[in-house]
Amino acid sequence: MKKYLLSGMLIAISSMTFAQVVRENEAAIVYYMPKTELMITLDYNMVEEKPGVFYQYAEHYLGATKIIIEENKNYQLVGVKTQVVSSADTNRPFKVVAQKGMNTQLVSLTEDGRLVGYGIENASLQFSERSQGELQNGSKAAYSLEAKSEELMPLMEEQFLAGSVAKMAEGAAKQIYRIRETRLNILAGDVEHVPADGKAMELVLNELDKQEQALVALFVGTTKVTRHTHTLLYTPAESVENEVICRLSAHNGVVDKNDLSGEPIYLTLDASYRTLMPGGYVDKNTPVLSQLYYNLPGEAKMVMQFKGKIVAESHFEVAQYGVAVPLAQELVNSKTTTSIVISPETGNILSIRK
């Protein structure tokens, strides 16, 4: 964020159309009310299954019943996270004209032109301003839960020289049972050379476990899980019920909402617009000059569903559901030293100090 103190930085605007009309060659500061968006991040796994070379012998030699017998790849939804972000709403511009009555040098804006306050030169503001990296919709692989490198079959020379797949499988099974027997003997202390200490014992047992798992995988197969994320931006507008925002395909991952190969992810939004009591300020096209306007935001409730289950829900303020209200003139005239902090996310007042 940049705070513009605007000494000598008043903008000379030529004929442009705004909600507040800026006249030709008029020196004015133009700022915008914020726009609320919902950043939706889908976490899902790509699960790849591959059969072991000895899968036909898994039940016979190991008594295994859960065996992968063919290659398969599918995508599974893990979770959904939502984050409220904001940007400048170029459809809701406002202006401050340089004239008597207010010190325009004390107006502070964000880089994209949202109002953050008046007279807050020394204020420390923190807010979640969305970055270009955050705005890029799309998918990416975050990390793999299993190493991708292919290892050679963990067999001894005698298994490779067995002469047939059946004999190799039998030799591999015997090797598994020898490893298990060795582990039991170490734990029982029934070996000639017992590991010197607990750390050495742990290292030996871990290595035996690793060897056993590699051999067992030759029978029951392997499963590799890769985590993916997909981010999209949703701009709240009117209330909607069960709007399809995207789909998750078991074979292709996250796909477009119009791609019927995937299961729909639904979003329901209940919009609550801000209204003012009778006699309150009504948002006009040409408000009073040299006056700052803040925003009274509305609210929304959001629920997302996938396969009949709720995967995310939230209740948040929505700037574009709000109405603009002028700050009292005595707060921003040149004779006072008022410090006013405005939320760049909702446009509402955070604090007023005199």
Side-chain angles (χ1 to χ4, degrees):
M1 184 201 78
K2 290 182 179 178
K3 291 192 294 181
Y4 298 124
L5 300 183
L6 301 172
S7 52
M9 294 179 64
L10 296 182
I11 307 168
I13 309 292
S14 58
S15 352
M16 301 173 69
T17 303
F18 294 99
Q20 289 180 278
V21 178
V22 179
R23 296 175 177 82
E24 186 173 359
N25 297 323
E26 183 178 43
I29 299 169
V30 177
Y31 63 96
Y32 303 96
M33 289 299 176
K35 177 174 64 177
T36 300
E37 292 174 294
L38 199 61
M39 185 188 301
I40 302 170
T41 301
L42 307 174
D43 290 328
Y44 61 101
N45 286 338
M46 179 179 70
V47 182
E48 297 176 281
E49 297 178 329
K50 290 185 178 181
V53 292
F54 303 144
Y55 75 90
Q56 293 173 307
Y57 306 95
E59 186 174 2
H60 177 71
Y61 286 118
L62 301 183
T65 55
K66 294 182 179 180
I67 308 164
I68 300 171
I69 61 174
E70 61 182 10
E71 289 193 15
N72 182 46
K73 181 173 70 173
N74 67 85
Y75 294 85
Q76 303 168 354
L77 185 67
V78 175
V80 179
K81 299 188 291 288
T82 60
Q83 179 185 354
V84 177
V85 295
S86 60
S87 60
D89 189 347
T90 55
N91 293 318
R92 297 180 70 194
F94 289 79
K95 70 174 181 179
V96 182
V97 177
Q99 66 177 37
K100 292 181 179 179
M102 182 172 62
N103 188 350
T104 53
Q105 296 179 9
L106 299 181
V107 177
S108 297
L109 308 177
T110 64
E111 288 185 353
D112 61 358
R114 284 171 287 163
L115 182 66
V116 293
Y118 178 81
I120 58 169
E121 302 95 310
N122 298 320
S124 176
L125 299 178
Q126 294 182 346
F127 61 95
S128 59
E129 187 171 17
R130 65 186 201 180
S131 67
Q132 288 301 314
E134 292 173 330
L135 295 181
Q136 294 176 356
N137 294 352
S139 300
K140 64 178 180 179
Y143 56 88
S144 174
L145 303 184
E146 183 177 299
K148 294 183 179 180
S149 60
E150 297 293 337
E151 296 183 359
L152 297 175
M153 286 195 298
L155 300 180
M156 307 295 288
E157 182 180 4
E158 60 185 273
Q159 281 96 50
F160 280 111
L161 298 177
S164 69
V165 175
K167 286 292 185 181
M168 290 175 68
E170 181 182 359
K174 288 181 179 179
Q175 192 173 339
I176 291 172
Y177 289 121
R178 283 197 295 268
I179 290 173
R180 292 176 178 175
E181 184 178 358
T182 300
R183 183 192 297 111
L184 288 174
N185 290 336
I186 291 175
L187 291 173
D190 191 16
V191 290
E192 184 176 349
H193 300 288
V194 179
D197 52 35
K199 185 64 176 179
M201 173 84 76
E202 182 181 355
L203 291 173
V204 171
L205 293 176
N206 286 343
E207 183 60 30
L208 290 172
D209 289 342
K210 182 179 178 181
Q211 293 177 15
E212 181 184 350
Q213 291 170 11
L215 286 165
V216 170
L218 297 177
F219 292 88
V220 301
T222 58
T223 300
K224 182 172 73 175
V225 180
T226 305
R227 177 62 54 83
H228 289 256
T229 61
H230 180 89
T231 301
L232 57 92
L233 284 173
Y234 182 84
T235 303
E238 297 179 353
S239 295
V240 295
E241 185 173 358
N242 291 333
E243 177 183 354
V244 179
I245 58 170
C246 64
R247 294 174 183 266
L248 182 67
S249 166
H251 303 291
N252 300 311
V254 175
V255 295
D256 186 77
K257 63 181 181 180
N258 296 318
D259 187 340
L260 300 183
S261 69
E263 289 280 347
I265 297 177
Y266 295 106
L267 183 146
T268 296
L269 187 77
D270 184 12
S272 179
Y273 293 84
R274 171 74 72 166
T275 57
L276 294 176
M277 298 296 290
Y281 173 76
V282 179
D283 194 4
K284 299 178 181 178
N285 289 331
T286 55
V288 179
L289 298 178
S290 287
Q291 196 160 16
L292 290 176
Y293 291 78
Y294 66 97
N295 187 56
L296 290 177
E299 298 178 337
K301 293 181 181 179
M302 182 279 300
V303 176
M304 292 179 62
Q305 292 182 299
F306 180 66
K307 292 185 176 180
K309 296 182 179 180
I310 295 176
V311 293
E313 56 185 330
S314 63
H315 181 208
F316 55 98
E317 292 183 312
V318 182
Q320 57 267 33
Y321 291 172
V323 291
V325 180
L327 285 163
Q329 196 76 354
E330 59 269 20
L331 294 177
V332 293
N333 64 46
S334 57
K335 297 180 181 180
T336 63
T337 56
T338 305
S339 175
I340 304 170
V341 180
I342 304 290
S343 167
E345 298 172 326
T346 66
N348 206 352
I349 298 173
L350 294 178
S351 66
I352 299 177
R353 296 179 181 175
K354 292 186 177 180

